[in-house]
Amino acid sequence: MTDDTRRLFEPVAFGDLPLPNRIVMAPMTRNRAGPDNVPGPLTATYYAQRASAGLIVTEATQVSPQGQSYPATPGLHGQDQVEGWRAVVDAVHAAGGRIVAQLCHGGRISHPTFQPGGARPVAPSAIAPAGHIYGPDWSKRAYEVPVALDRVGIEAIVRDFATAAANARAAGFDGIEIHAGNGYLVDQFLRDGSNRRDDAYGGPPERRARFLAEVVEAIADRVGGARLGVRFSPWNGYNDMADSAPERLFPIAAKSVAPFGLAYVHVVEPVGTAPSIGRRIADAAATKLIVNGGYDGETAAVAVGSGDADAVAFAKPFIANPDLPARIAAGRPFAEADKATIYGGGARGYTDYPGDDGA
């Protein structure tokens, strides 16, 4: 094991979140929630199998029925969902792990078939994304033009985030991550390709960051900033996203949440990205940095060993390698995930990948 690889296995404190190693399981939508979007026993098994990660970040979890984007994704807005997640958290803790809930609102990445009463989705501005979405029955549907949120609607969603965060803590989660990337609602407010507002939530980057800052403040008031992280994806065009100056926007957005004492920022920035702004974002937020984007054991070790990151998050490698930290420590190759079983389904391709013990 190289010195850099040893650094991956050194403990680190992210605010009030002590991590025994610097290998993070990134959030991944798997579409296995049960009726009423409640996570079930299979989800508990799935996350517990991966408890050797220094930190697990759950799949994106909607803060309200309005926030749903895809079929069979879990929520944290109803009591049955809280109880379902409590069983997941208990299983992870019993296996020695730590887990935070990633809270998300899909905004315009939704469809009336997901919305209460068949309403149109909401967004900062009435701009439909290009492409299509899968409805509850997995059929393709064209995106519809969303309704531009008014102040009352914005305030209601901020409250939904705070309530979901309180629910997460009631379920026993070790912390919260706000999904502010990948083209969902917080990201839609941040980027000028989706935010054309001319009020206090639009225009220059400082105003576009206001919604994020209000969400962070509301959650910090309920659960504390030292157990709270934020995920950004500055260069990601997923979900038809764009910004004219991401290298300026995202450090400004990070600075807007620095007063709340975040545990970390989690930046999706593919390994080797030039220019890299991950550390600038973390420094602006005055906190630790998790990076994510195509890393393997060697490149992750270099990133942490060089000080370019404080931890590295792995997504797809954790699907087929529940024992990923042990594989990295031993220098063993990663197994490949079955692409056909990533989204939806049951145990196959979810909980049946072998770990160290072959089970």
Side-chain angles (χ1 to χ4, degrees):
M1 186 184 294
T2 68
D3 288 344
D4 283 346
T5 301
R6 288 189 184 92
R7 285 288 308 280
L8 274 179
F9 291 90
E10 291 179 356
V12 62
F14 284 8
D16 287 344
L17 295 169
L19 277 59
N21 64 62
R22 297 162 186 251
I23 298 168
V24 175
M25 179 176 168
M28 289 176 285
T29 293
R30 302 299 309 275
N31 307 95
R32 256 82 167 189
D36 299 319
N37 295 327
V38 174
L42 206 59
T43 299
T45 299
Y46 167 73
Y47 283 115
Q49 287 174 339
R50 290 150 180 84
S52 61
L55 181 68
I56 293 172
V57 184
T58 72
E59 61 215 271
T61 300
Q62 55 257 15
V63 299
S64 68
Q66 183 195 59
Q68 185 170 356
S69 295
Y70 308 115
T73 53
L76 257 170
H77 49 83
Q79 190 56 40
D80 287 348
Q81 294 165 348
V82 173
E83 295 303 323
W85 277 119
R86 181 176 289 120
V88 174
V89 172
D90 287 349
V92 170
H93 286 167
R98 295 134 303 277
I99 184 169
V100 300
Q102 191 194 62
L103 300 183
C104 184
H105 189 298
R108 68 181 188 172
I109 305 303
S110 189
H111 189 271
T113 52
F114 288 119
Q115 296 293 307
R120 282 189 291 156
V122 297
S125 301
I127 304 170
H132 65 268
I133 192 166
Y134 290 97
D137 61 356
W138 291 95
S139 63
K140 286 185 179 181
R141 299 161 190 259
Y143 284 112
E144 297 193 7
V145 176
V147 174
L149 283 160
D150 60 15
R151 184 62 179 266
V152 172
I154 290 172
E155 291 173 351
I157 292 172
V158 170
R159 289 194 298 272
D160 287 338
F161 269 97
T163 299
N167 286 342
R169 291 295 284 151
F173 279 101
D174 299 297
I176 310 293
E177 180 175 289
I178 298 168
H179 199 347
N182 290 15
Y184 302 111
L185 184 63
V186 180
D187 200 21
Q188 292 162 28
F189 269 94
L190 289 174
R191 300 211 232 182
D192 59 18
S194 50
N195 183 345
R196 307 287 174 80
R197 303 173 72 98
D198 58 6
D199 64 357
Y201 295 88
E206 292 81 1
R207 294 213 303 256
R208 283 183 272 132
R210 178 173 178 168
F211 178 68
L212 168 66
E214 289 182 354
V215 168
V216 169
E217 181 176 20
I219 292 177
D221 284 347
R222 298 290 286 271
V223 304
R227 291 183 178 271
L228 177 58
V230 176
R231 194 179 208 223
F232 297 108
S233 58
W235 310 109
N236 195 341
Y238 183 64
N239 281 327
D240 196 27
M241 293 301 291
D243 189 79
S244 60
E247 69 282 356
R248 179 168 180 260
L249 164 64
F250 285 93
I252 289 173
K255 185 177 180 180
S256 77
V257 298
F260 305 106
L262 297 184
Y264 66 86
V265 293
H266 184 176
V267 179
V268 182
E269 197 177 47
V271 60
T273 295
S276 171
I277 59 172
R279 184 56 79 181
R280 283 178 56 208
I281 291 170
D283 288 348
T287 192
K288 296 286 201 306
L289 172 64
I290 302 172
V291 295
N292 172 239
Y295 285 83
D296 58 21
E298 182 177 346
T299 54
V302 170
V304 170
S306 66
D308 288 342
D310 299 297
V312 176
F314 295 82
K316 286 184 180 179
F318 259 114
I319 291 178
N321 301 275
D323 57 344
L324 187 67
R327 288 179 184 259
I328 292 173
R332 300 205 314 271
F334 298 170
E336 292 293 325
D338 173 15
K339 293 180 180 179
T341 58
I342 289 177
Y343 302 111
R348 182 168 170 259
Y350 191 52
T351 58
D352 61 351
Y353 289 106
D356 266 347
D357 59 0

